[in-house]
Amino acid sequence: MNWSDILEFARGPFFYAALLFFIAGMLFRFTRIVLLGWGKDRVKSKGSKLGGVAKTYAKAILVWPFIPWVKNTFNRNPIIYIAGGLFHLGLFVVIFLGAAHMLVWKSLIGFGWPTLPLPIVDWLAAVAIIAMLILFVNRLINPVLKLISGPAEWLNLLVVFLPMVTGYMMTHHLFFQYEMLYSLHMLAVDALLIWIPLSRISHFMFYFFSRTIHGAQFGKRAVSP
Amino acid sequence: MTTTQTAINTFVHETGAWVASQLEACTRCGMCAEACHFYQATGNPEYAPVWKIELVRRAYEQRFTLGGKMRVAMGLDKPIRDEELGAWSKIVYEACTMCNKCALVCPMGIQLGPIIHNVRAGLSDAGLVPEDLKAAVQKQKEIGSPLGATDSVYDQRIEWVADEWEVDLPMDVQGADTLVVFSSIEVMKFPENIAAIAKILNKAGEKWTLSHKAREVVNFGFYEGNEELTKLFMKRVFDGARELGVKRILVTECGHAYDALRWTAANIMDVPDVEITHVAGYIWNLVGAGRIKLKQGALDDKGVITFHDACKIQRRGGHIDEPRELLKILAPNAFKEMTPNKEQAICCGGGGGVIAIKEADPQRYKVFEMKMEQANRIGAKTVAMFCSNCRLQFTDGVQKYNPPFKVAGMSQLVADALVE
Ligand code: HEM
Ligand code: SF4
Ligand code: SF4
C-alpha cells in the first residue's frame, strides 16, 4: 500500500464513515439529553427569562462566545481567555473561511460562500496552533487544570492539534511529501470526527443548552446574565 | 446499599436534562476557579467549582453516557469509591457558599451553584454531612430553630423586643395582608432588626402579622441539601400563611431562606398562592409608593458607607438595585461601592451554612479578609447589608480583626431615618 491508496481511503470511504458516525453520534447525544426530561419551572419570575437569554447571547456574540464578564477574573487568568479565544477564532476561520475547506463544504452541502485571502487564513491558523501549544503548557502547570485533567482532556487537545498541524504543513509543503501529509491530515480529520461525539469537544452543541439556561435563570431573577 | 450507591442514586435522580446538558457543556477549562472566593483566598485547587461537581459528573457519565461507559472500560476514567465521598463532603460543605458567582465566570454559563447543591443532596442522603451542620439541622427539626429558639424562648424574645423598643408586634392576626417571618439569627442575635422592620411596617400602615406556626424562616435542611427537611421547614412557613389567609410572605434578612422559599419551593412542593418577597425589595416599594418617607442624607455625615451584596438576596435573589436606591436617599454623598459589586460581588464567606461548621473557620476567615480589604480600600466607616447571616459573619470578623468600619443592617438604617 502506498500513500495514494491511503489517501484514497482516508478521504473516501473512511471520511464518509467518520462523517456519518459524527452526525449520528451528535444526534444520539442530543436526543439522549432532551429525553432525560425537563422539569417544568413553576417559580414565578421577577424579570424576563426571554430577556435574559437574549442578553446573554448578545453579550456572547458581540465580542466572542467565551469572554466572561468579570474583569477581575480576566486579570487573574488571562492566558486561557486570550489563547483559548485565538485558538477558536483560528479554528473557525480555517474551517469555514479557508478556500480549501469551503470547497469541501460545497461538495457536501451544495453551495459555497466567499472566503478570506490565504495569507490571513494562514496567519490565523499559525496563531491557533501556537495558542494550542500555550493551552497545553498551561494545562500542564496550572494547579486547577492539573487536578481536573484526565487522559480524555489530553486527547481532546491532541485530536484537534493533529489536523491543524498537518493542514498547516500541507499548505506550506513542509518537511514531508505532499501526498503523505494530505493522507495524515485526512486521517487526523477522520479521527477528530469520530472522537467529537465521544468526548467533551461536543461542547459546541451543549454550549447552546447551558447558555440558554444561564440566560433564563438570571433573567428570571432580574439579574444581568 | 453502600454509601456510594446511595449518593449516586440521588445524583442520578436529580440529574434531569437540565443538569445533564450543563454537565456535558463543561470544557474543563478551569476558569471557574478564579471566580470562587474560597479559591481566590486559599489557592487550593480542590476549591475550584468544577472540582466540586466532579462527583455528579462522574456519576452521570458513567451511568448515562456511552462515552462515559467506554472511558471507564478503557481505564480513562475511574468509578466512584466510598473513600472518596468524604473528601467531597469537606469541599462542598466547608468551602462553598452556593453563591453562584462561578456561573457568571464560566464561559459556558454553567449554573455551578445549583449543581453543587445536588452534590450536597447526594452526600446528605449518604449521611456524609459535617457534624456541626447535622446537629443544627436536627435542632431545627426538633425545636423549630437551629439556634435554640424554642416556642417559649421565641415568645419571651418577641415580648421583650416589643417592650424594649416600644413597637407593636402583631401576632397571629387572621386576615392580615403580610406574614413576616424572621430568622432565629434575628430573634437571638439581632433583635433590633425585628424592631426596625416592625417600625417600618407600622409606619407604612401595613396590615401585617407574625405567626407562631411560621416563626422560623431559616432553612438548615436546604443548607444540608436534605430535600425532606427542606420541605418540612418550608411547610411550617406555608402552613402559617395558609392558616392566617395572608396575601404575601415577607422574608426578612435571611438569604438562604429566600432562595429556598422564593426560587425553589414551587418546584419541589405545594406552595400557597401568595406573593413571596424580601424586605430588601419591599421596603423600597414602600418608599416608592410614598407610604414611608426617609430623611434625605440622614447618613451623609457619618463617613463612607458601602453596601455588601448578599449572594442569595442580590445575585440569586434579584434585589440588586433596591438597596442602592435606598442608600442614595440616605447617603447620597457618602455612599460608595466596593469593587467588584452587584452581581459580581464576592461573598462574606459565611453563607451556605459555612459559618455553622467549625472546621470551615480557616477558609471562612480568609474570605472575610478579602472582603474586609475591599471595604478598607474605599475607606468605609459603615458596611451595610440586607442579610443577617452575612451580618453574623461580619460581626464575627470585625471582632477578630478590628477593622475601622462597623456593620449595619439595612432595615435598621432605614428605620432610624424614618420621617415621623
Ligand atoms: C459554539 C462553538 C464553541 C464554543 C462556544 C466553544 C467554547 C470553548 C471554551 C469556552 C473553551 C474553554 C476555554 C478554552 O480553552 O478556550 C473551549 C475549549 C476547547 N474547545 Fe471549544 N468551543 C466551540 C467550538 C469548538 C469546536 C468546533 C472545536 C473543535 C473541533 C473546539 C475545540 C476545543 C478544544 C479542543 C478545547 C480545549 C482546549 C483546552 O484543553 O485547553 N471547540 N471551547
Ligand atoms: S457557588 Fe460560590 S462559593 Fe460555591 S464554588 Fe461557586 S463561586 Fe465558589
Ligand atoms: S468554567 Fe465552566 S466550562 Fe470551564 S471548567 Fe468551570 S464549569 Fe467547566
Side-chain angles (χ1 to χ4, degrees), chain A residues 27-40 206 209 213, chain B residues 11-24 56-57 59-66 69:
Chain A
L27 278 177
F28 174 79
R29 294 204 43 195
F30 182 85
T31 353
R32 188 81 183 78
I33 285 286
V34 173
L35 292 184
L36 275 179
W38 300 85
K40 191 172 174 310
F206 292 107
F209 286 81
I213 292 171
Chain B
F11 294 153
V12 169
H13 164 74
E14 304 239 333
T15 307
W18 195 88
V19 173
S21 60
Q22 297 187 78
L23 292 173
E24 297 274 19
V56 215
R57 175 197 65 86
Y60 158 73
E61 285 187 353
Q62 296 171 10
R63 177 74 78 99
F64 282 116
T65 70
L66 287 180
K69 285 183 184 146

mmCIF file of all heavy atoms in Angstrom, chain A residues 27-40 206 209 213, chain B residues 11-24 56-57 59-66 69:
data_model
loop_
_atom_site.group_PDB
_atom_site.id
_atom_site.type_symbol
_atom_site.label_atom_id
_atom_site.label_comp_id
_atom_site.label_asym_id
_atom_site.label_seq_id
_atom_site.Cartn_x
_atom_site.Cartn_y
_atom_site.Cartn_z
ATOM 1 N N LEU A 27 -26.402 13.427 16.963
ATOM 2 C CA LEU A 27 -27.863 13.314 17.050
ATOM 3 C C LEU A 27 -28.253 12.459 18.248
ATOM 4 O O LEU A 27 -29.174 12.784 18.994
ATOM 5 C CB LEU A 27 -28.432 12.690 15.771
ATOM 6 C CG LEU A 27 -28.635 13.659 14.609
ATOM 7 C CD1 LEU A 27 -29.124 12.898 13.370
ATOM 8 C CD2 LEU A 27 -29.656 14.735 15.003
ATOM 9 N N PHE A 28 -27.512 11.378 18.429
ATOM 10 C CA PHE A 28 -27.790 10.498 19.560
ATOM 11 C C PHE A 28 -27.641 11.264 20.876
ATOM 12 O O PHE A 28 -28.513 11.214 21.744
ATOM 13 C CB PHE A 28 -26.834 9.302 19.543
ATOM 14 C CG PHE A 28 -26.958 8.426 20.755
ATOM 15 C CD1 PHE A 28 -27.999 7.517 20.860
ATOM 16 C CD2 PHE A 28 -26.042 8.521 21.794
ATOM 17 C CE1 PHE A 28 -28.127 6.712 21.978
ATOM 18 C CE2 PHE A 28 -26.168 7.719 22.920
ATOM 19 C CZ PHE A 28 -27.205 6.824 23.009
ATOM 20 N N ARG A 29 -26.538 11.998 20.995
ATOM 21 C CA ARG A 29 -26.314 12.707 22.258
ATOM 22 C C ARG A 29 -27.369 13.776 22.475
ATOM 23 O O ARG A 29 -27.824 14.005 23.601
ATOM 24 C CB ARG A 29 -24.918 13.303 22.261
ATOM 25 C CG ARG A 29 -23.906 12.189 22.262
ATOM 26 C CD ARG A 29 -22.575 12.515 22.806
ATOM 27 N NE ARG A 29 -22.534 13.291 24.016
ATOM 28 C CZ ARG A 29 -21.419 13.872 24.426
ATOM 29 N NH1 ARG A 29 -20.320 13.752 23.724
ATOM 30 N NH2 ARG A 29 -21.410 14.549 25.547
ATOM 31 N N PHE A 30 -27.756 14.421 21.408
ATOM 32 C CA PHE A 30 -28.782 15.452 21.501
ATOM 33 C C PHE A 30 -30.101 14.852 22.009
ATOM 34 O O PHE A 30 -30.690 15.309 22.988
ATOM 35 C CB PHE A 30 -28.973 16.103 20.128
ATOM 36 C CG PHE A 30 -29.978 17.220 20.121
ATOM 37 C CD1 PHE A 30 -29.590 18.509 20.460
ATOM 38 C CD2 PHE A 30 -31.301 16.984 19.773
ATOM 39 C CE1 PHE A 30 -30.507 19.542 20.460
ATOM 40 C CE2 PHE A 30 -32.226 18.016 19.780
ATOM 41 C CZ PHE A 30 -31.829 19.299 20.115
ATOM 42 N N THR A 31 -30.534 13.768 21.359
ATOM 43 C CA THR A 31 -31.814 13.163 21.739
ATOM 44 C C THR A 31 -31.741 12.604 23.148
ATOM 45 O O THR A 31 -32.680 12.737 23.932
ATOM 46 C CB THR A 31 -32.166 11.988 20.797
ATOM 47 O OG1 THR A 31 -31.219 11.948 19.751
ATOM 48 C CG2 THR A 31 -33.534 12.163 20.214
ATOM 49 N N ARG A 32 -30.622 11.987 23.454
ATOM 50 C CA ARG A 32 -30.434 11.382 24.774
ATOM 51 C C ARG A 32 -30.662 12.419 25.875
ATOM 52 O O ARG A 32 -31.375 12.178 26.839
ATOM 53 C CB ARG A 32 -29.003 10.834 24.822
ATOM 54 C CG ARG A 32 -28.667 10.014 26.012
ATOM 55 C CD ARG A 32 -29.164 8.588 25.838
ATOM 56 N NE ARG A 32 -28.886 7.798 27.039
ATOM 57 C CZ ARG A 32 -29.608 7.862 28.138
ATOM 58 N NH1 ARG A 32 -30.660 8.630 28.188
ATOM 59 N NH2 ARG A 32 -29.298 7.138 29.204
ATOM 60 N N ILE A 33 -30.054 13.582 25.684
ATOM 61 C CA ILE A 33 -30.184 14.642 26.686
ATOM 62 C C ILE A 33 -31.616 15.146 26.744
ATOM 63 O O ILE A 33 -32.216 15.245 27.811
ATOM 64 C CB ILE A 33 -29.257 15.825 26.339
ATOM 65 C CG1 ILE A 33 -27.809 15.485 26.649
ATOM 66 C CG2 ILE A 33 -29.669 17.077 27.075
ATOM 67 C CD1 ILE A 33 -27.492 15.480 28.106
ATOM 68 N N VAL A 34 -32.180 15.425 25.580
ATOM 69 C CA VAL A 34 -33.514 16.005 25.574
ATOM 70 C C VAL A 34 -34.509 15.043 26.231
ATOM 71 O O VAL A 34 -35.411 15.449 26.958
ATOM 72 C CB VAL A 34 -33.945 16.347 24.136
ATOM 73 C CG1 VAL A 34 -35.393 16.779 24.103
ATOM 74 C CG2 VAL A 34 -33.061 17.456 23.596
ATOM 75 N N LEU A 35 -34.299 13.742 26.005
ATOM 76 C CA LEU A 35 -35.245 12.762 26.538
ATOM 77 C C LEU A 35 -35.075 12.509 28.032
ATOM 78 O O LEU A 35 -35.899 11.843 28.648
ATOM 79 C CB LEU A 35 -35.120 11.441 25.775
ATOM 80 C CG LEU A 35 -35.585 11.497 24.319
ATOM 81 C CD1 LEU A 35 -35.509 10.128 23.677
ATOM 82 C CD2 LEU A 35 -36.990 12.069 24.212
ATOM 83 N N LEU A 36 -34.005 13.039 28.635
ATOM 84 C CA LEU A 36 -33.859 12.859 30.083
ATOM 85 C C LEU A 36 -34.966 13.565 30.843
ATOM 86 O O LEU A 36 -35.206 13.304 32.016
ATOM 87 C CB LEU A 36 -32.506 13.402 30.548
ATOM 88 C CG LEU A 36 -31.305 12.461 30.442
ATOM 89 C CD1 LEU A 36 -30.051 13.174 30.931
ATOM 90 C CD2 LEU A 36 -31.523 11.200 31.256
ATOM 91 N N GLY A 37 -35.642 14.494 30.184
ATOM 92 C CA GLY A 37 -36.794 15.129 30.821
ATOM 93 C C GLY A 37 -36.484 16.488 31.404
ATOM 94 O O GLY A 37 -35.481 16.669 32.088
ATOM 95 N N TRP A 38 -37.339 17.438 31.109
ATOM 96 C CA TRP A 38 -37.176 18.799 31.615
ATOM 97 C C TRP A 38 -38.279 19.079 32.610
ATOM 98 O O TRP A 38 -39.431 19.199 32.218
ATOM 99 C CB TRP A 38 -37.255 19.799 30.463
ATOM 100 C CG TRP A 38 -36.208 19.574 29.435
ATOM 101 C CD1 TRP A 38 -36.275 18.709 28.392
ATOM 102 C CD2 TRP A 38 -34.924 20.172 29.367
ATOM 103 N NE1 TRP A 38 -35.104 18.742 27.676
ATOM 104 C CE2 TRP A 38 -34.260 19.639 28.253
ATOM 105 C CE3 TRP A 38 -34.251 21.131 30.155
ATOM 106 C CZ2 TRP A 38 -32.966 20.014 27.904
ATOM 107 C CZ3 TRP A 38 -32.977 21.498 29.781
ATOM 108 C CH2 TRP A 38 -32.342 20.939 28.674
ATOM 109 N N GLY A 39 -37.908 19.183 33.884
ATOM 110 C CA GLY A 39 -38.913 19.550 34.869
ATOM 111 C C GLY A 39 -39.441 20.929 34.536
ATOM 112 O O GLY A 39 -38.693 21.795 34.117
ATOM 113 N N LYS A 40 -40.763 21.122 34.716
ATOM 114 C CA LYS A 40 -41.322 22.433 34.425
ATOM 115 C C LYS A 40 -40.910 23.393 35.537
ATOM 116 O O LYS A 40 -40.904 23.025 36.706
ATOM 117 C CB LYS A 40 -42.845 22.314 34.361
ATOM 118 C CG LYS A 40 -43.526 23.537 33.801
ATOM 119 C CD LYS A 40 -45.018 23.243 33.597
ATOM 120 C CE LYS A 40 -45.796 24.472 33.163
ATOM 121 N NZ LYS A 40 -45.608 25.668 33.949
ATOM 122 N N PHE A 206 -23.534 21.624 23.235
ATOM 123 C CA PHE A 206 -24.136 21.826 24.556
ATOM 124 C C PHE A 206 -23.999 23.259 25.039
ATOM 125 O O PHE A 206 -24.706 23.676 25.953
ATOM 126 C CB PHE A 206 -23.543 20.833 25.553
ATOM 127 C CG PHE A 206 -23.951 19.433 25.233
ATOM 128 C CD1 PHE A 206 -23.043 18.528 24.695
ATOM 129 C CD2 PHE A 206 -25.257 19.026 25.425
ATOM 130 C CE1 PHE A 206 -23.430 17.242 24.371
ATOM 131 C CE2 PHE A 206 -25.653 17.745 25.102
ATOM 132 C CZ PHE A 206 -24.742 16.851 24.578
ATOM 133 N N PHE A 209 -27.250 24.830 25.051
ATOM 134 C CA PHE A 209 -28.096 24.471 26.192
ATOM 135 C C PHE A 209 -27.706 25.315 27.408
ATOM 136 O O PHE A 209 -28.541 25.961 28.025
ATOM 137 C CB PHE A 209 -27.911 22.990 26.567
ATOM 138 C CG PHE A 209 -28.544 22.024 25.625
ATOM 139 C CD1 PHE A 209 -27.924 21.660 24.441
ATOM 140 C CD2 PHE A 209 -29.762 21.444 25.937
ATOM 141 C CE1 PHE A 209 -28.503 20.749 23.582
ATOM 142 C CE2 PHE A 209 -30.350 20.527 25.088
ATOM 143 C CZ PHE A 209 -29.714 20.179 23.904
ATOM 144 N N ILE A 213 -29.914 28.180 29.397
ATOM 145 C CA ILE A 213 -30.291 28.006 30.802
ATOM 146 C C ILE A 213 -29.757 29.171 31.632
ATOM 147 O O ILE A 213 -30.456 29.739 32.468
ATOM 148 C CB ILE A 213 -29.741 26.666 31.339
ATOM 149 C CG1 ILE A 213 -30.462 25.500 30.663
ATOM 150 C CG2 ILE A 213 -29.896 26.592 32.852
ATOM 151 C CD1 ILE A 213 -29.863 24.145 30.958
ATOM 152 N N PHE B 11 -27.732 11.487 43.001
ATOM 153 C CA PHE B 11 -27.219 12.291 41.887
ATOM 154 C C PHE B 11 -28.043 12.017 40.635
ATOM 155 O O PHE B 11 -28.481 12.919 39.937
ATOM 156 C CB PHE B 11 -25.758 11.936 41.555
ATOM 157 C CG PHE B 11 -24.781 12.291 42.636
ATOM 158 C CD1 PHE B 11 -23.597 11.577 42.769
ATOM 159 C CD2 PHE B 11 -25.031 13.327 43.510
ATOM 160 C CE1 PHE B 11 -22.682 11.901 43.754
ATOM 161 C CE2 PHE B 11 -24.119 13.656 44.501
ATOM 162 C CZ PHE B 11 -22.945 12.941 44.620
ATOM 163 N N VAL B 12 -28.231 10.727 40.375
ATOM 164 C CA VAL B 12 -28.900 10.330 39.149
ATOM 165 C C VAL B 12 -30.347 10.806 39.164
ATOM 166 O O VAL B 12 -30.864 11.339 38.193
ATOM 167 C CB VAL B 12 -28.815 8.806 38.970
ATOM 168 C CG1 VAL B 12 -29.731 8.350 37.858
ATOM 169 C CG2 VAL B 12 -27.379 8.393 38.674
ATOM 170 N N HIS B 13 -30.980 10.658 40.343
ATOM 171 C CA HIS B 13 -32.362 11.088 40.491
ATOM 172 C C HIS B 13 -32.491 12.586 40.214
ATOM 173 O O HIS B 13 -33.466 13.062 39.660
ATOM 174 C CB HIS B 13 -32.826 10.753 41.907
ATOM 175 C CG HIS B 13 -34.059 11.450 42.349
ATOM 176 N ND1 HIS B 13 -35.307 11.106 41.888
ATOM 177 C CD2 HIS B 13 -34.254 12.498 43.192
ATOM 178 C CE1 HIS B 13 -36.201 11.905 42.438
ATOM 179 N NE2 HIS B 13 -35.588 12.759 43.223
ATOM 180 N N GLU B 14 -31.473 13.355 40.627
ATOM 181 C CA GLU B 14 -31.545 14.808 40.475
ATOM 182 C C GLU B 14 -31.099 15.273 39.090
ATOM 183 O O GLU B 14 -31.150 16.447 38.766
ATOM 184 C CB GLU B 14 -30.659 15.486 41.523
ATOM 185 C CG GLU B 14 -31.009 15.071 42.934
ATOM 186 C CD GLU B 14 -31.408 16.241 43.803
ATOM 187 O OE1 GLU B 14 -30.954 17.351 43.515
ATOM 188 O OE2 GLU B 14 -32.192 16.027 44.738
ATOM 189 N N THR B 15 -30.571 14.325 38.305
ATOM 190 C CA THR B 15 -29.983 14.720 37.036
ATOM 191 C C THR B 15 -30.979 14.617 35.899
ATOM 192 O O THR B 15 -31.022 13.615 35.208
ATOM 193 C CB THR B 15 -28.741 13.857 36.720
ATOM 194 O OG1 THR B 15 -27.869 13.911 37.840
ATOM 195 C CG2 THR B 15 -28.004 14.405 35.518
ATOM 196 N N GLY B 16 -31.785 15.640 35.738
ATOM 197 C CA GLY B 16 -32.629 15.704 34.545
ATOM 198 C C GLY B 16 -31.821 16.308 33.416
ATOM 199 O O GLY B 16 -30.618 16.538 33.546
ATOM 200 N N ALA B 17 -32.475 16.575 32.324
ATOM 201 C CA ALA B 17 -31.788 17.177 31.189
ATOM 202 C C ALA B 17 -31.178 18.517 31.575
ATOM 203 O O ALA B 17 -30.129 18.907 31.078
ATOM 204 C CB ALA B 17 -32.785 17.374 30.049
ATOM 205 N N TRP B 18 -31.844 19.185 32.484
ATOM 206 C CA TRP B 18 -31.391 20.496 32.947
ATOM 207 C C TRP B 18 -29.951 20.434 33.447
ATOM 208 O O TRP B 18 -29.101 21.215 33.051
ATOM 209 C CB TRP B 18 -32.323 20.933 34.075
ATOM 210 C CG TRP B 18 -32.251 22.360 34.426
ATOM 211 C CD1 TRP B 18 -32.967 23.362 33.851
ATOM 212 C CD2 TRP B 18 -31.434 22.968 35.414
ATOM 213 N NE1 TRP B 18 -32.627 24.556 34.439
ATOM 214 C CE2 TRP B 18 -31.699 24.345 35.400
ATOM 215 C CE3 TRP B 18 -30.506 22.480 36.334
ATOM 216 C CZ2 TRP B 18 -31.073 25.247 36.248
ATOM 217 C CZ3 TRP B 18 -29.874 23.374 37.176
ATOM 218 C CH2 TRP B 18 -30.157 24.752 37.135
ATOM 219 N N VAL B 19 -29.686 19.474 34.322
ATOM 220 C CA VAL B 19 -28.338 19.319 34.860
ATOM 221 C C VAL B 19 -27.426 18.654 33.831
ATOM 222 O O VAL B 19 -26.300 19.094 33.595
ATOM 223 C CB VAL B 19 -28.360 18.483 36.163
ATOM 224 C CG1 VAL B 19 -26.939 18.177 36.624
ATOM 225 C CG2 VAL B 19 -29.118 19.214 37.247
ATOM 226 N N ALA B 20 -27.929 17.597 33.203
ATOM 227 C CA ALA B 20 -27.091 16.816 32.298
ATOM 228 C C ALA B 20 -26.533 17.676 31.161
ATOM 229 O O ALA B 20 -25.346 17.605 30.849
ATOM 230 C CB ALA B 20 -27.888 15.650 31.731
ATOM 231 N N SER B 21 -27.384 18.507 30.571
ATOM 232 C CA SER B 21 -26.893 19.284 29.427
ATOM 233 C C SER B 21 -25.801 20.247 29.866
ATOM 234 O O SER B 21 -24.895 20.560 29.106
ATOM 235 C CB SER B 21 -28.049 20.035 28.761
ATOM 236 O OG SER B 21 -28.650 20.924 29.670
ATOM 237 N N GLN B 22 -25.880 20.709 31.097
ATOM 238 C CA GLN B 22 -24.831 21.613 31.574
ATOM 239 C C GLN B 22 -23.548 20.851 31.885
ATOM 240 O O GLN B 22 -22.447 21.339 31.638
ATOM 241 C CB GLN B 22 -25.317 22.371 32.796
ATOM 242 C CG GLN B 22 -26.491 23.264 32.492
ATOM 243 C CD GLN B 22 -26.839 24.131 33.680
ATOM 244 O OE1 GLN B 22 -26.197 25.128 33.952
ATOM 245 N NE2 GLN B 22 -27.856 23.722 34.415
ATOM 246 N N LEU B 23 -23.707 19.644 32.443
ATOM 247 C CA LEU B 23 -22.505 18.842 32.704
ATOM 248 C C LEU B 23 -21.786 18.546 31.391
ATOM 249 O O LEU B 23 -20.565 18.560 31.305
ATOM 250 C CB LEU B 23 -22.877 17.525 33.393
ATOM 251 C CG LEU B 23 -23.406 17.632 34.822
ATOM 252 C CD1 LEU B 23 -23.895 16.276 35.304
ATOM 253 C CD2 LEU B 23 -22.334 18.163 35.754
ATOM 254 N N GLU B 24 -22.571 18.306 30.357
ATOM 255 C CA GLU B 24 -21.996 17.994 29.053
ATOM 256 C C GLU B 24 -21.285 19.204 28.457
ATOM 257 O O GLU B 24 -20.358 19.070 27.674
ATOM 258 C CB GLU B 24 -23.102 17.571 28.073
ATOM 259 C CG GLU B 24 -23.840 16.312 28.464
ATOM 260 C CD GLU B 24 -23.142 15.064 27.973
ATOM 261 O OE1 GLU B 24 -21.945 15.146 27.667
ATOM 262 O OE2 GLU B 24 -23.811 14.012 27.894
ATOM 263 N N VAL B 56 -20.875 14.435 40.667
ATOM 264 C CA VAL B 56 -22.099 14.321 39.855
ATOM 265 C C VAL B 56 -21.734 14.030 38.413
ATOM 266 O O VAL B 56 -22.397 13.258 37.748
ATOM 267 C CB VAL B 56 -22.947 15.615 39.796
ATOM 268 C CG1 VAL B 56 -24.411 15.303 39.758
ATOM 269 C CG2 VAL B 56 -22.594 16.571 40.871
ATOM 270 N N ARG B 57 -20.688 14.688 37.958
ATOM 271 C CA ARG B 57 -20.295 14.477 36.564
ATOM 272 C C ARG B 57 -19.947 13.004 36.338
ATOM 273 O O ARG B 57 -20.430 12.376 35.403
ATOM 274 C CB ARG B 57 -19.086 15.323 36.194
ATOM 275 C CG ARG B 57 -18.602 15.018 34.775
ATOM 276 C CD ARG B 57 -17.213 15.497 34.466
ATOM 277 N NE ARG B 57 -16.135 14.876 35.204
ATOM 278 C CZ ARG B 57 -15.525 13.736 34.855
ATOM 279 N NH1 ARG B 57 -15.921 13.056 33.805
ATOM 280 N NH2 ARG B 57 -14.538 13.268 35.580
ATOM 281 N N ALA B 59 -20.784 10.377 38.156
ATOM 282 C CA ALA B 59 -21.960 9.524 38.325
ATOM 283 C C ALA B 59 -22.813 9.568 37.062
ATOM 284 O O ALA B 59 -23.242 8.541 36.542
ATOM 285 C CB ALA B 59 -22.774 9.985 39.527
ATOM 286 N N TYR B 60 -23.015 10.772 36.559
ATOM 287 C CA TYR B 60 -23.856 10.929 35.375
ATOM 288 C C TYR B 60 -23.242 10.248 34.157
ATOM 289 O O TYR B 60 -23.896 9.483 33.462
ATOM 290 C CB TYR B 60 -24.086 12.420 35.096
ATOM 291 C CG TYR B 60 -24.478 12.704 33.677
ATOM 292 C CD1 TYR B 60 -25.748 12.367 33.218
ATOM 293 C CD2 TYR B 60 -23.576 13.251 32.780
ATOM 294 C CE1 TYR B 60 -26.101 12.579 31.899
ATOM 295 C CE2 TYR B 60 -23.916 13.473 31.464
ATOM 296 C CZ TYR B 60 -25.175 13.130 31.021
ATOM 297 O OH TYR B 60 -25.512 13.333 29.725
ATOM 298 N N GLU B 61 -21.981 10.525 33.914
ATOM 299 C CA GLU B 61 -21.370 9.974 32.700
ATOM 300 C C GLU B 61 -21.309 8.458 32.744
ATOM 301 O O GLU B 61 -21.588 7.776 31.768
ATOM 302 C CB GLU B 61 -19.950 10.528 32.518
ATOM 303 C CG GLU B 61 -19.940 11.958 32.037
ATOM 304 C CD GLU B 61 -18.533 12.433 31.705
ATOM 305 O OE1 GLU B 61 -17.568 11.698 31.972
ATOM 306 O OE2 GLU B 61 -18.422 13.553 31.187
ATOM 307 N N GLN B 62 -20.935 7.944 33.918
ATOM 308 C CA GLN B 62 -20.747 6.503 33.987
ATOM 309 C C GLN B 62 -22.074 5.765 33.975
ATOM 310 O O GLN B 62 -22.141 4.590 33.640
ATOM 311 C CB GLN B 62 -19.907 6.154 35.222
ATOM 312 C CG GLN B 62 -18.513 6.763 35.087
ATOM 313 C CD GLN B 62 -17.675 6.658 36.342
ATOM 314 O OE1 GLN B 62 -18.055 5.970 37.279
ATOM 315 N NE2 GLN B 62 -16.536 7.339 36.364
ATOM 316 N N ARG B 63 -23.146 6.464 34.352
ATOM 317 C CA ARG B 63 -24.437 5.819 34.342
ATOM 318 C C ARG B 63 -25.162 6.012 33.008
ATOM 319 O O ARG B 63 -25.831 5.129 32.500
ATOM 320 C CB ARG B 63 -25.277 6.388 35.491
ATOM 321 C CG ARG B 63 -26.682 5.859 35.562
ATOM 322 C CD ARG B 63 -26.728 4.425 36.077
ATOM 323 N NE ARG B 63 -26.565 4.393 37.514
ATOM 324 C CZ ARG B 63 -27.564 4.279 38.379
ATOM 325 N NH1 ARG B 63 -28.791 4.162 37.958
ATOM 326 N NH2 ARG B 63 -27.347 4.248 39.664
ATOM 327 N N PHE B 64 -25.019 7.208 32.424
ATOM 328 C CA PHE B 64 -25.904 7.554 31.311
ATOM 329 C C PHE B 64 -25.261 7.589 29.938
ATOM 330 O O PHE B 64 -25.943 7.544 28.946
ATOM 331 C CB PHE B 64 -26.514 8.940 31.537
ATOM 332 C CG PHE B 64 -27.631 8.946 32.515
ATOM 333 C CD1 PHE B 64 -27.522 9.644 33.701
ATOM 334 C CD2 PHE B 64 -28.797 8.249 32.250
ATOM 335 C CE1 PHE B 64 -28.555 9.657 34.605
ATOM 336 C CE2 PHE B 64 -29.840 8.262 33.148
ATOM 337 C CZ PHE B 64 -29.711 8.963 34.337
ATOM 338 N N THR B 65 -23.959 7.820 29.872
ATOM 339 C CA THR B 65 -23.422 8.082 28.538
ATOM 340 C C THR B 65 -22.554 6.935 28.047
ATOM 341 O O THR B 65 -21.816 6.323 28.812
ATOM 342 C CB THR B 65 -22.595 9.386 28.498
ATOM 343 O OG1 THR B 65 -21.389 9.187 29.221
ATOM 344 C CG2 THR B 65 -23.360 10.545 29.087
ATOM 345 N N LEU B 66 -22.662 6.685 26.747
ATOM 346 C CA LEU B 66 -21.828 5.651 26.146
ATOM 347 C C LEU B 66 -20.358 6.014 26.290
ATOM 348 O O LEU B 66 -19.534 5.191 26.668
ATOM 349 C CB LEU B 66 -22.165 5.516 24.658
ATOM 350 C CG LEU B 66 -23.491 4.852 24.342
ATOM 351 C CD1 LEU B 66 -23.687 4.798 22.838
ATOM 352 C CD2 LEU B 66 -23.529 3.460 24.938
ATOM 353 N N LYS B 69 -19.188 5.295 29.759
ATOM 354 C CA LYS B 69 -19.020 3.855 29.995
ATOM 355 C C LYS B 69 -17.752 3.362 29.303
ATOM 356 O O LYS B 69 -16.979 2.580 29.863
ATOM 357 C CB LYS B 69 -20.229 3.092 29.465
ATOM 358 C CG LYS B 69 -21.434 3.270 30.377
ATOM 359 C CD LYS B 69 -22.608 2.460 29.874
ATOM 360 C CE LYS B 69 -23.826 2.739 30.750
ATOM 361 N NZ LYS B 69 -25.074 2.699 30.031
#
